[in-house]
Amino acid sequence: MLGAAGIAHFALAAALLMSTMPAAHAAKKAQAKSHDESAATQSQAASGPLPANAVARVNDVLITQDQLEEALRASNVPDTPTSRAGVKNQLIARELFRQAALKAHYDTRPQVIAIVEQAKALAMTQAYLRDQVKPAPVTDADVKAKYDAVVATLGQNEYKSSVIAVKDADTANKVLAELKKGTDFAQLAKQYSQGPNAAQGGALNWISFKTPITAGNTQNWPQPLAEALVKLPQGAVSSTPVQVGDAFWIVRVDQERPTQIPPFDQSKDMLRKQLEQVAVEKATAEVVIDLVKNAHIQQ
């Protein structure tokens, strides 16, 4: 028999299942439970001692020690007698919910069937891509070449800046007028900016440019904005809005210093991950291209 604590865990498990499980996760659970219908291999008489590998029996279905260990790892909580009891009660609750739903024929409901089919399609697709996508290996030489290429784009100085980006010149001029009155830049960024990191007051990471600035060597910054930035002394704000496309930018140099180039050993792991991601994307694109060539697609 389970006491009040066990019942509380059941209620918690129900609430978690209803309120926090995203659709994709729910689909995976539904698919996993569909396999559990074959639990005749687990099924035991509803009475008598538990087998050595079981921690509970819910009607005629066993909850195994392996299931408990897996659920405990997934819960990411400290392994204590209390947490083990809590996770076990949640597993019992979930099995009770599953059995009740099955008894009420929820497995035949269209929305449940659709979720199971979505989970099956997702699992098949992921397995197919794992087998078919063969990214080129990233070598140590590739990583060093990437490091050298990045270093070659850096200038003598680097800048810590903040920006405010708005959609029209009138708003930009209004912001500049407020700045001249002494209004805090970060406050105005939070109020008006539609640019990056507006919620953080428009503050950006350190950036360095080779000067004179040339097209394609601006670290993904808009060239007019990069040109405005390097002309400003530390603490200064652009005196006029910088137009980039349909947006008007105001930039401030928060700090300026000689460029700090991290040693290769500190950068190589991050660069390797970036190169590996690019290799995966390239290999995936190649698979897509081959599939498109052999497909009839009407739009």
Side-chain angles (χ1 to χ4, degrees):
M1 295 294 292
L2 293 170
I7 298 299
H9 281 298
F10 286 7
L12 175 60
L16 289 172
L17 284 170
M18 292 177 64
S19 64
T20 65
M21 184 179 290
H25 187 58
K28 291 180 181 179
K29 288 292 183 183
Q31 183 187 34
K33 290 306 181 184
S34 71
H35 290 301
D36 286 346
E37 310 321 6
S38 63
T41 56
Q42 283 191 341
S43 182
Q44 299 282 334
S47 60
L50 291 173
N53 68 329
V55 295
R57 180 189 286 117
V58 183
N59 294 320
D60 61 347
V61 175
L62 293 177
I63 295 175
T64 66
Q65 184 68 40
D66 288 343
Q67 289 173 317
L68 176 59
E69 298 297 336
E70 181 180 355
L72 189 64
R73 286 193 297 271
S75 68
N76 199 29
V77 297
D79 187 351
T80 66
T82 300
S83 64
R84 280 183 170 269
V87 171
K88 182 175 75 171
N89 284 338
Q90 289 183 21
L91 290 175
I92 293 171
R94 290 186 178 186
E95 180 56 30
L96 284 170
F97 302 148
R98 186 193 71 83
Q99 291 182 22
L102 186 61
K103 185 177 180 180
H105 305 294
Y106 275 70
D107 57 322
T108 62
R109 290 196 171 191
Q111 62 267 40
V112 174
I113 295 173
I115 290 173
V116 172
E117 287 302 313
Q118 290 170 9
K120 180 180 177 181
L122 177 61
M124 287 193 306
T125 300
Q126 291 175 336
Y128 174 82
L129 289 174
R130 280 194 297 269
D131 291 341
Q132 300 300 319
V133 174
K134 304 296 182 183
V138 175
T139 67
D140 291 344
D142 294 332
V143 178
K144 184 60 167 62
K146 178 65 175 177
Y147 175 81
D148 292 340
V150 171
V151 170
T153 67
L154 303 178
Q156 181 178 355
N157 295 320
E158 61 182 354
Y159 308 87
K160 186 81 168 61
S161 62
S162 296
V163 295
I164 297 173
V166 296
K167 287 187 174 181
D168 59 87
D170 288 343
T171 303
N173 288 321
K174 179 179 179 180
V175 171
L176 282 173
E178 289 292 327
L179 288 170
K180 290 176 182 178
K181 293 177 183 178
T183 306
D184 181 62
F185 190 101
Q187 176 185 330
L188 291 170
K190 293 175 183 178
Q191 182 177 354
Y192 291 103
S193 182
Q194 299 177 17
N197 292 356
Q200 289 75 44
L204 303 180
N205 292 326
W206 288 96
I207 190 77
S208 178
F209 309 106
K210 265 195 176 304
T211 54
I213 291 174
T214 56
N217 294 307
T218 58
Q219 312 286 8
N220 296 320
W221 269 50
Q223 186 172 343
L225 199 62
E227 291 172 344
L229 177 68
V230 298
K231 294 175 182 177
L232 293 171
Q234 181 168 308
V237 177
S238 52
S239 59
T240 58
V242 180
Q243 184 171 2
V244 180
D246 295 331
F248 294 82
W249 295 71
I250 299 166
V251 59
R252 182 182 69 184
V253 177
D254 299 326
Q255 297 180 60
E256 181 181 352
R257 68 186 184 188
T259 299
Q260 310 291 305
I261 300 176
F264 174 68
D265 286 343
Q266 292 181 13
S267 307
K268 62 182 181 181
D269 290 343
M270 177 188 69
L271 293 173
R272 182 179 296 277
K273 289 179 181 178
Q274 291 176 355
L275 291 173
E276 288 173 345
Q277 181 61 36
V278 170
V280 168
E281 292 173 359
K282 181 180 178 181
T284 303
E286 291 171 353
V287 172
V288 172
I289 291 171
D290 288 340
L291 290 173
V292 169
K293 286 179 180 178
N294 298 308
H296 176 67
I297 301 173
Q298 185 176 5
Q299 300 189 49

